[in-house]
Amino acid sequence: MDELVVQTKGLTKRYGDGDSGRLAVDRVEMTVRRGEVYGFLGPNGAGKTTTLRMVLGLIRPTAGSATVLGRPAGEPAVTERIGALIEGPGFYPYLSGRDNLRTMARYRALPEAMVDAALERVDLADRGKDKFKSYSLGMKQRLGVAAALMGDPDVIVLDEPTNGLDPAGMADMRGLIVELARGGQTVLLSSHLLAEVEEICDRVGVIARGQLLVESTVSALRGGRRLRITATPTDRAIAIAMRLAGEDAVQLSGDAILVDVPPERTPHVVRAFVTEGLDVHEVTISERTLEEVFFEMTRSGEHVHAADDLTSSLEAVR
Amino acid sequence: MSAATSLDLRASAPGPSAVLNSTRADLLRLRKWPAVWVTIGAWLALNAMFAYLFNYVTYSSGTTNFSTQGESRAELLAGLLPSGLPATLPQGMPLFGGAIMMVLGAIIAGNGYGWGTWKTVLTQGPSRTSTLAGSLSATTVLIAGVALATLVTDYAMSLAVALAESRSTALPGLGDLAQSVGVAFLVMEMWAMAGYLLGTLARSPAVSVGLGLVWGLVIEQLLRGVGGSLAWVDTFTHFLPGTSAGSLVGQMVGVDPGTPDATPGLLDALSYDRALLMVVAYLVLLPTLTWWLVRRRDVV
């Protein structure tokens, strides 16, 4: 099941020539496996959309390559097996939602029944006859997803699919994506919403300033759970913690110390503190959110270091 | 993996079926586009007015107007009868019809960039070549339809004149009529392809329509004016699309551009054969340039 559905090698896009050019995507090595929901995470302008456009063959890489389903990106044979919604839905404003899908379906000679099924799937069946230009942003977005679903593609590429959706619409969209993955379709999803990615993605790739900083499972990215202890005197507390967990596993955070130990060792650690005569004020198990990890990694100038840290911590987890 | 997940290349091989699918898709969205009908309707209405209505009013009131000075009333009426169709039908094409068809080509190609529809279309499956071939085919179907619709309205107008004046309603020879409609189609198709190229180049309908109209209506006219005194400019104008289209129609209907009553845009700068060759050459060159552009371009 580890077949690679999308793979990029040294994928690079530079706009403009020479040193004055802007490097939008910088040697990105991305791998998406069959059947997973892959989250492509990054701040606005990080190069997410540009990378996805190259994966779809809409723009040509300056260097490197992208393969989809084992063939070069952009080949007709590949493109018709991908459903995509890239940078907002692009439809004819004067046509109804349904006629827009009928037009797109004709490019692959798909039966009309698929159009209605796709509308049904994104809850637009009763508005299908209305003109696209009369749709709300959320409905336009859903029509874009409907177009991407037509023809049961092997891979579905969704660029910020929850953009412009209200909270209920976002929840529906996430439910739909999870459902697609359950049905065996591979979903490549870009987002700047961490909660979204944390909730529905199996693996994530984090991109900032055109570089793929890390690619891993969500849980590995967040790292293990840590013990957060407030005890006085603090210097002695640190010394004891280091003795128990090793020097590298202890970190000071304000008044508290963070100790990397498995949760089942919690009583052992607390007992040690008490036995040594320390005053223990607070013991909690702290989990890093993806948000913390993300900001750690994408903070300006430190990302390479952070990525190294992360890679080593990932190795430790394995 | 199983056969179901391996790529089935036969279904997606670029070829006639991909082009046909793209043509059908583009025809669907063109057929339902109000702007297309407004443009075509405007052409048919204006053509009927300038080619028939004004001339008939002039004829029946016995006065002369700007476009009929010096023409005898008999000549005027001859052009308005069914037998005059082959000569009357293509006269408005080089300048007027051409300009409108250029607008049509430009909006068909140019609007898709702003709406993001080319992006959506190019992620459907067919290659860029197939998609473009389909879109150009759909445009060609549209232009052929316009040529036939022009024939029908012109025939209806001429029939009305003939009945009103109790003249012969006899049709002209089928060969003459076919040649006339064919020439009209070629000229309109050439301008539509020019518009399509401009729309693709500018990625916007407004810029391309503006540029195209200034070129067709202003620059070429000015260059032909300058060509009267400068030989090399004159030679240069012989290779322009407007000169080619104007000469093709001008030579067919027999025109003397020196006289004040000549229809604007009709020329005799090139021979009929040479003009036909030039128009066909443009019909190859313009789509080829568009294809080259669409193939290599990044679509955002």
Side-chain angles (χ1 to χ4, degrees), chain B residues 5 15 25-27 79-80 87 146 151 153 160 163 178 180 191 201 279 289:
Chain B
T5 55
D26 225 37
L27 275 176
L80 298 175
V146 174
L151 174 66
T153 44
L163 292 174
S180 170
W191 283 118
L201 202 64
V279 169
L289 280 175

Side-chain angles (χ1 to χ4, degrees), chain B residues 169-259:
Chain B
T169 57
L171 277 170
L174 204 61
D176 286 348
L177 202 57
Q179 187 198 13
S180 170
V181 175
V183 161
F185 166 75
L186 285 180
V187 169
M188 289 196 295
E189 174 80 352
M190 181 191 79
W191 283 118
M193 292 296 128
Y196 201 104
L197 172 63
L198 286 170
T200 306
L201 202 64
R203 303 190 202 216
S204 114
V207 175
S208 49
V209 166
L211 281 179
L213 291 184
V214 166
W215 175 265
L217 301 181
V218 181
I219 311 269
E220 278 208 28
Q221 311 284 342
L222 289 177
L223 282 175
R224 280 194 284 272
V226 174
S229 47
L230 283 175
W232 65 269
V233 175
D234 192 45
T235 313
F236 174 69
T237 60
H238 287 179
F239 292 94
L240 298 179
T243 309
S244 309
S247 301
L248 183 62
V249 176
Q251 295 287 12
M252 190 181 74
V253 304
V255 74
D256 180 6
T259 58

Side-chain angles (χ1 to χ4, degrees), chain B residues 260-293:
Chain B
D261 62 320
T263 308
L266 297 198
L267 304 166
D268 62 355
L270 306 176
S271 71
Y272 180 80
D273 290 343
R274 176 76 197 282
L276 185 63
L277 189 72
M278 286 297 299
V279 169
V280 171
Y282 272 111
L283 280 176
V284 174
L285 178 71
L286 295 167
T288 306
L289 280 175
T290 310
W291 174 76
W292 178 78
L293 208 60

